[in-house]
Amino acid sequence: MWKLLYLFLTLCQLLCCQAEATAAPVTPQSCSLDCIQQGGPACEYCRITRSDVRKALGFKSMERFGSCIPWPCFELLGNEDPKICQHYVQAPNDVKVEFLNDSNSQSDTIIVSWKPSYYGIAFLRGFQVSLQALGGTSVACQLFLFHRNLSLPTSHAQRVYKSDPFPGLSLGSQYAVTVMALPVPEEWERFYRSEIFSTRSCAEKNGFEQCKNDWYPKHIEVQQEGSAITVTFNLAPPNLGIRSYFSLCYINGRKKYTNIIPDLTTNKTHHSYQLSDLQEGTNYTCEIAANEVDAVRKMFNVHVVHTQKDASPSSVTPSLAFVLPLSLVAVAVLGGCLAIVIRRRTKLQMKKFDIQLDIINKHEEVGNQEELVSLRKNRLTPPRLLICYSSHEGPAHVKAVMQLGVFIQQHMATQVCLDLWDSLSVAEEGSMAWHCRQIRESDFVLVMCSRGFNQRPKPEDDDGDEDQAYSSDAIIQLIGAEVGRAKAWGQDLSKYMAAIFEYSEETDIPTELRLISHYVLTSDLPLLFSHLHGVALHRPGAYLKIDHISEKGFAKVPAGAALQWAIYEAGMALEGKGQHSLEEGD
């Protein structure tokens, strides 16, 4: 009999717990402070407004709290029983964020839900929910209290409590929501639970076809007929108001821009445009986007195949097919006989005038090598080069980098971007933001590697050296990530280069930059010039000859001499620094 009664009671308890777990979520009520303080049954879970706090505390302005309502326990619940606000309650569990559908297409609205903890639930007096945008200062808070006579049972730990809606959240932004269990004695920890979430993007909330900033062409088709490349893509919906587009194609650090203005009277859904002046047998990485600020770009690849310009005739008479090979053989025999005769006459003349054949050959080789190679004429502006470096080696190394920039800009037909020359913009934007913009806008990025990329500054370093070193390390990680992404997508890596001065070692090049071309300066100045302008150093019968960039000729100009002297001083400074470190170690 007793066993049956025990089983019956256990089953009832399980059913009650299950009913509590599946109960509807608890939503806030509108209550008065008097009801909460008196413990009326009609005010079980109440929202506390600013006017309630102002009435209880006598504050005329809540802005001093950063728009977040404080929670003075005694004043809101009454100070007749001091013990009511002295017990510890652990942080809530299972904090979730739920998005609400509203009519505002420019912002998002959320509701936060959670479950109270088992620990200290009998002393739980309420919750405070705060919402803050990551990177921002504005805070939105909501305060919820139970009436003073309520003591929750353990089974209520399975109940779900909800906040009021938080409206007006920016789309595509990150927020942190914190749910705090009340009361909170100062000596306790783990009294709150925080979650970071992202609001929906415009496309997620309103649909891809309704968002101007998120729209991009999804369907792209590339066709080649002869030497003409035709690209067809889908147009934006008319309601977005997009009237023009642009395309960018990259190869060896060069960009080809194409402005696209479709004729909507002929076709409102698709448009075709042609890419001209593309090199045959080359793979291009291209982007297409709406001609709008911060428009999303769609990437695609274009492979230009070789075209057969000289096609053989479709029908040849048997007589011509038979005669043509015989004619070619006869011409070859006559040409060989003529070459032998000319060669013998040349040797006789050389013997007559005592001229050695090897001298003639050397003279002819020199004459062939002196043939000049012209630069490409399709570039309207000089290539833009960003130089990144570490200042950990000291001012001598920084001076050498600056002199390198001066030499490249003066004698290598290149526009150089260096933070030392744009300190006002760096101070205004911040070092990382400035470098990110320059990496995006530059045709090439040259990383001057040194020991500073593999060493952290000591804590006692001052004058901003530590911040500069950390900034350099972050920039190198950023460039390394871009190189890895381009490698993974099979894109062109020629935009990025690494280099060291002659007093550094190849081991100073970070591992993430080993995938890109690297040079030793100043001995590899011709190679660097070849990379920047896309011209070959050698070709049959010719070689690249540019004044003032050879290993021995660069020091003949003032900028080259200054660069040579700066590299020498930097090497001596590093050598002295190394000896000083060894002496301190001894």
Side-chain angles (χ1 to χ4, degrees):
M1 181 66 183
W2 289 107
K3 291 183 178 180
L4 292 176
L5 181 61
Y6 176 76
L7 291 175
F8 176 75
L9 293 176
T10 304
L11 180 62
C12 291
Q13 185 177 5
L14 291 175
L15 292 176
C16 291
C17 292
Q18 184 176 5
E20 293 287 349
T22 58
V26 182
T27 56
Q29 304 169 285
S30 295
C31 316
S32 65
L33 274 179
D34 294 335
C35 181
I36 295 175
Q37 294 175 358
Q38 294 173 6
C43 46
E44 179 180 350
Y45 179 58
C46 304
R47 65 174 62 91
I48 304 301
T49 63
R50 289 191 178 192
S51 60
D52 295 329
V53 178
R54 190 180 300 112
K55 178 181 177 181
L57 302 181
F59 289 156
K60 296 182 179 179
S61 175
M62 303 303 298
E63 282 72 15
R64 71 185 68 183
F65 300 102
S67 76
C68 189
I69 302 174
W71 188 72
C73 178
F74 295 112
E75 296 296 336
L76 294 179
L77 294 180
N79 52 12
E80 292 84 2
D81 185 6
K83 296 182 180 179
I84 195 172
C85 298
Q86 295 179 356
H87 294 281
Y88 167 69
V89 182
Q90 199 171 23
N93 300 317
D94 201 16
V95 176
K96 295 181 179 179
V97 176
E98 177 184 353
F99 292 97
L100 300 182
N101 293 324
D102 54 6
S103 58
N104 190 347
S105 61
Q106 304 299 321
S107 62
D108 229 336
T109 302
I110 67 162
I111 281 183
V112 184
S113 64
W114 63 91
K115 293 180 181 179
S117 173
Y118 288 101
Y119 302 102
I121 190 172
F123 307 104
L124 182 65
R125 307 282 11 119
F127 305 97
Q128 180 167 306
V129 184
S130 62
L131 182 70
Q132 182 174 11
L134 295 186
T137 57
S138 61
V139 181
C141 287
Q142 296 179 5
L143 180 62
F144 308 101
L145 295 179
F146 302 114
H147 65 75
R148 60 176 294 119
N149 295 330
L150 180 65
S151 179
L152 298 180
T154 306
S155 61
H156 279 220
Q158 296 299 322
R159 279 192 175 184
V160 176
Y161 289 82
K162 287 193 173 185
S163 70
D164 284 326
F166 286 93
L169 307 185
S170 301
L171 295 178
S173 302
Q174 281 193 318
Y175 290 85
V177 61
T178 301
V179 183
M180 182 186 307
L182 304 176
V184 184
E186 294 183 359
E187 64 269 18
W188 292 95
E189 298 179 353
R190 299 193 301 273
F191 58 88
Y192 67 92
R193 188 83 60 188
S194 294
E195 295 290 336
I196 296 177
F197 69 96
S198 297
T199 55
R200 294 174 292 182
S201 64
C202 178
E204 291 173 336
K205 180 178 182 179
N206 306 313
F208 178 75
E209 300 296 332
Q210 302 297 325
C211 301
K212 188 174 184 177
N213 291 335
D214 295 328
W215 185 90
Y216 61 89
K218 284 190 173 182
H219 307 287
I220 299 177
E221 182 180 353
V222 180
Q223 294 180 342
Q224 180 177 355
E225 296 181 1
S227 60
I229 304 296
T230 303
V231 181
T232 303
F233 66 98
N234 63 296
L235 298 176
N239 60 291
L240 298 184
I242 298 176
R243 298 293 179 262
S244 62
Y245 307 81
F246 70 91
S247 174
L248 277 176
C249 291
Y250 304 85
I251 183 67
N252 294 330
R254 297 187 300 276
K255 302 177 183 179
K256 179 174 179 55
Y257 178 86
T258 304
N259 189 32
I260 307 169
I261 303 178
D263 185 5
L264 299 180
T265 59
T266 58
N267 194 332
K268 294 184 179 181
T269 60
H270 292 80
H271 178 73
S272 299
Y273 68 98
Q274 286 192 344
L275 295 173
S276 58
D277 299 331
L278 300 184
Q279 299 179 5
E280 295 183 357
T282 306
N283 289 325
Y284 287 84
T285 301
C286 299
E287 297 174 342
I288 187 172
N291 198 3
E292 302 287 341
V293 178
D294 295 333
V296 179
R297 302 184 181 188
K298 173 68 173 179
M299 186 174 297
F300 62 98
N301 296 321
V302 176
H303 176 63
V304 186
V305 299
H306 290 282
T307 58
Q308 296 181 355
K309 298 181 180 180
D310 297 325
S312 58
S314 58
S315 61
V316 181
T317 60
S319 59
L320 181 59
F322 180 77
V323 172
L324 186 57
L326 293 179
S327 301
L328 293 177
V329 172
V331 171
V333 172
L334 291 176
C337 296
L338 183 60
I340 293 173
V341 173
I342 294 175
R343 187 174 181 181
R344 288 182 177 179
R345 291 186 61 185
T346 303
K347 289 183 177 181
L348 291 176
Q349 291 178 357
M350 288 178 182
K351 289 181 179 180
K352 182 177 180 180
F353 293 102
D354 296 329
I355 300 178
Q356 296 181 1
L357 183 62
D358 56 348
I359 299 178
I360 297 295
N361 293 335
K362 291 181 180 180
H363 178 73
E364 290 177 353
E365 290 177 1
V366 172
N368 290 334
Q369 289 179 349
E370 291 296 334
E371 184 179 341
L372 297 180
V373 178
S374 61
L375 298 180
R376 300 176 183 269
K377 297 182 180 180
N378 56 356
R379 184 187 290 275
L380 299 178
T381 59
R384 185 183 179 95
L385 173 67
L386 171 66
I387 301 180
C388 302
Y389 62 97
S390 171
S391 62
H392 183 60
E393 278 72 15
H397 175 71
V398 176
K399 181 181 178 182
V401 173
M402 184 179 65
Q403 293 296 339
L404 174 65
V406 172
F407 178 82
I408 292 176
Q409 181 149 302
Q410 288 186 2
H411 298 287
M412 297 180 65
T414 303
Q415 180 184 356
V416 175
C417 299
L418 197 60
D419 58 349
L420 297 171
W421 299 345
D422 199 9
S423 56
L424 184 61
S425 297
V426 173
E428 181 180 359
E429 302 178 31
S431 179
M432 281 299 300
W434 184 88
H435 278 90
C436 288
R437 179 172 62 85
Q438 294 295 339
I439 291 173
R440 185 172 60 253
E441 296 177 356
S442 297
D443 299 308
F444 297 95
V445 177
L446 175 63
V447 182
M448 292 305 304
C449 301
S450 56
R451 299 177 209 167
F453 286 143
N454 299 320
Q455 295 180 357
R456 290 288 185 134
K458 296 181 181 179
E460 61 268 17
D461 291 345
D462 53 6
D463 298 332
D465 290 343
E466 184 175 358
D467 294 339
Q468 176 67 23
Y470 288 152
S471 176
S472 302
D473 183 60
I475 292 167
I476 295 306
Q477 292 182 5
L478 175 64
I479 296 176
E482 288 293 320
V483 171
R485 182 185 63 82
K487 180 67 175 178
W489 285 90
Q491 298 176 359
D492 186 20
L493 297 178
S494 62
K495 177 175 181 177
Y496 301 98
M497 299 172 287
I500 56 174
F501 287 123
E502 294 169 349
Y503 53 77
S504 299
E505 300 178 357
E506 288 194 8
T507 54
D508 295 332
I509 300 177
T511 305
E512 55 266 31
L513 300 182
R514 299 291 175 86
L515 295 173
I516 59 180
S517 302
H518 45 275
Y519 306 106
V520 179
L521 301 180
T522 58
S523 59
D524 288 340
L525 282 175
L527 291 174
L528 179 61
F529 184 91
S530 173
H531 192 133
L532 292 173
H533 294 278
V535 294
L537 285 178
H538 297 277
R539 73 181 188 189
Y543 77 105
L544 179 65
K545 181 180 180 182
I546 303 294
D547 292 337
H548 312 313
I549 68 168
S550 63
E551 185 177 0
K552 297 181 179 179
F554 81 96
K556 296 180 180 179
V557 295
L563 172 61
Q564 187 181 43
W565 181 249
I567 294 175
Y568 171 77
E569 288 184 329
M572 295 299 294
L574 287 179
E575 184 179 352
K577 187 177 180 180
Q579 292 179 356
H580 181 67
S581 300
L582 291 176
E583 292 176 358
E584 288 183 350
D586 296 337

